[in-house]
Amino acid sequence: MKILVVSNNYPSLKNPSRGVFVYNLIQQFCKLGHEVSIISSENILTSKRKKVETYGIENCTVYRPKVVSASNMQIGSFNTYKVAELSQIKGIKRIVKKHNLKFDFVYAHFMMNGISAVNALKSYNKPFFIAIGESDLIRLTKMYPKDYFNQSIKQIRGFVAVSNKLKNQLIGFGIPENSIFMKPNAVDLTRFYQRNKAAMRKKYKLPMDLKLVAFVGRFLPHKGPLRVLEAVQNLNNVGALFMGNGPQEPVGSSVVFKESVPSSKIPEILSAADIFVLPTQREGSCNAIAEAIACGLPVVSSKIPEVMDQCHPSFSILVDPMDVTALESAIGSILSDEERRTEMSRNALEYSKNFEIGERASSILNFVEGMMEE
């Protein structure tokens, strides 16, 4: 099939880490034999960024129309996001017309891109599908006039939701349940797998004599890097690895690694750790958790619906993400029991087979084909 993907959350030479999970999925579409074109709108302000050599092997044809953004602020009944949306709609129309793109259906990643795609391409009379991976759709709807939002989503043939929470929110918007396919995010198990712990610690000059806790994500309050740091500070012989960046920068004697690292290094550094900790307050479907499980790490994370969709008690302990004492207790209970930790690691590796990206890509396309036949 010929697939047109619309997503502004896609890596580029100027922003190689953006939307890596979208990139990985779409590359699988190509590997399954489909012809994929991608329209990934690019904020005109990013043109000043320095380019890298590559963000990975690209099997699709990517078009990058420039858009103007006015952020997302509510001024009376007007939201400034409308400026970016109109610019994106114009760019999508221009690319499809200029390059005479042919497609059997449109696959948009995230609701905002889907709404833009619908209003840019509805005259082509092709089916639209949207992947929903936001942490919350309710807040997003406030950016649009109610009638405009409702009319737009009525034109979507099917939705791929990454959690039951998002599926239920879609049903709340009046979307028929049989038009929604719930499938959590997945990882490439040929890249994310368990390496030798000692070898990875030696490679990255990490201490051999400490138990290591890994955190991957933006250093933002809702992700909880400082709560992780606070939870490990009172534990003996425990260090923390922080992979990411952001305003809540963890600092202290317990921090043994802190760096924004390319995706190629994440599985190696995860393999150097003993457990993975992420006290997040909200997610769509957490790629970092799926990656940690694939590397055989026991997980301490949040007792929230979207994380519960990903984690099984056989390899995880889920707690109130704001309760640092509960975090500390959960981390300590796993690190102090080597036999339990080993068993949880085995269970994580086995469970990760349910989140293989090739299988996810095939399942999504089977859902799309089924909806198109109906």
Side-chain angles (χ1 to χ4, degrees):
M1 291 189 294
K2 293 184 186 333
I3 306 171
L4 176 60
V5 175
V6 177
S7 177
N8 58 14
N9 195 39
Y10 197 81
S12 68
L13 296 181
K14 296 173 185 175
N15 201 342
S17 62
R18 180 175 176 81
V20 171
F21 65 98
V22 180
Y23 161 82
N24 290 333
L25 175 68
I26 303 307
Q27 298 306 308
Q28 291 294 325
F29 288 176
C30 291
K31 291 178 182 179
L32 291 169
H34 302 283
E35 183 180 325
V36 182
S37 300
I38 300 172
I39 299 178
S40 181
S41 300
E42 194 172 68
N43 191 329
I44 198 166
L45 297 178
T46 63
S47 60
K48 297 180 181 179
R49 290 185 179 178
K50 184 178 179 181
K51 289 185 178 181
V52 298
E53 283 188 18
T54 180
Y55 59 81
I57 297 172
E58 183 58 78
N59 296 301
C60 312
T61 304
V62 185
Y63 303 93
R64 302 185 187 275
K66 295 289 189 296
V67 298
V68 177
S69 175
S71 190
N72 168 22
M73 295 181 291
Q74 196 70 35
I75 303 174
S77 61
F78 178 76
N79 191 294
T80 58
Y81 170 70
K82 191 66 179 178
V83 175
E85 185 195 18
L86 291 173
S87 182
Q88 184 181 22
I89 289 172
K90 184 177 179 181
I92 293 170
K93 286 181 174 179
R94 184 174 67 251
I95 291 295
V96 172
K97 184 177 181 180
K98 178 180 178 180
H99 298 279
N100 193 27
L101 297 185
K102 306 296 182 184
F103 50 95
D104 298 305
F105 68 92
V106 177
Y107 185 83
H109 221 285
F110 293 155
M111 182 69 86
M112 290 190 296
N113 290 304
I115 290 175
S116 294
V118 163
N119 288 284
L121 303 173
K122 55 189 174 184
S123 63
Y124 288 81
N125 199 30
K126 298 291 184 179
F128 294 88
F129 296 86
I130 301 183
I132 304 296
E134 294 89 338
S135 60
D136 182 32
L137 292 178
I138 306 299
R139 292 185 302 166
L140 179 145
T141 60
K142 297 176 181 178
M143 296 167 55
Y144 298 95
K146 187 175 181 179
D147 289 345
Y148 177 77
F149 178 81
N150 290 336
Q151 290 169 8
S152 296
I153 65 172
K154 282 180 182 177
Q155 298 178 66
I156 308 300
R157 183 74 59 88
F159 296 81
V160 178
V162 297
S163 71
N164 281 306
K165 170 188 170 182
L166 292 171
K167 178 181 177 180
N168 290 332
Q169 288 185 348
L170 287 170
I171 292 172
F173 294 153
I175 304 300
E177 187 171 359
N178 63 358
S179 298
I180 307 169
F181 180 49
M182 204 290 280
K183 190 72 172 175
N185 285 337
V187 295
D188 185 347
L189 298 182
T190 65
R191 293 177 54 238
F192 283 86
Y193 58 87
Q194 190 176 48
R195 275 83 165 170
N196 179 272
K197 183 184 296 185
M200 293 302 102
R201 290 193 178 192
K202 183 177 180 181
K203 179 175 180 176
Y204 290 95
K205 298 179 173 59
L206 300 172
M208 296 286 188
D209 58 341
L210 297 180
K211 295 290 190 297
L212 297 181
V213 171
F215 170 98
V216 179
R218 290 275 288 151
F219 297 164
L220 297 172
H222 79 271
K223 290 286 188 180
L226 299 188
R227 295 193 292 277
V228 174
L229 180 59
E230 186 178 352
V232 303
Q233 281 177 337
N234 294 325
L235 297 173
N236 294 325
N237 301 314
V238 176
L241 313 174
F242 290 94
M243 287 168 269
N245 56 52
Q248 276 204 339
E249 186 176 351
V251 178
S253 58
S254 298
V255 179
V256 298
F257 181 94
K258 179 181 61 181
E259 191 175 321
S260 178
V261 298
S263 60
S264 59
K265 292 184 178 180
I266 289 176
E268 295 186 340
I269 301 173
L270 284 174
S271 295
D274 295 285
I275 66 171
F276 178 79
V277 183
L278 184 71
T280 178
Q281 291 178 274
R282 61 181 185 272
E283 292 291 332
S285 177
C286 185
N287 294 283
I289 289 177
E291 292 167 356
I293 295 169
C295 293
L297 291 184
V299 172
V300 174
S301 191
S302 309
K303 198 170 186 178
I304 57 176
E306 48 269 50
V307 172
M308 293 167 69
D309 283 339
Q310 289 183 281
C311 290
H312 189 272
S314 65
F315 62 80
S316 66
I317 299 178
L318 305 182
V319 301
D320 179 347
M322 303 305 292
D323 189 340
V324 175
T325 301
L327 279 173
E328 181 181 329
S329 176
I331 295 168
S333 68
I334 297 173
L335 292 182
S336 62
D337 189 336
E338 185 173 354
E339 185 176 343
R340 182 188 184 191
R341 193 167 65 251
T342 300
E343 182 181 0
M344 292 178 80
S345 176
R346 284 197 299 265
N347 293 337
L349 288 170
E350 184 63 28
Y351 198 76
S352 71
K353 296 175 184 177
N354 297 312
F355 300 98
E356 197 278 316
I357 197 166
E359 186 276 332
R360 184 174 192 265
S362 296
S363 296
I364 289 172
L365 292 178
N366 287 339
F367 166 73
V368 167
E369 290 177 7
M371 294 299 294
M372 289 172 66
E373 288 175 3
E374 288 182 14

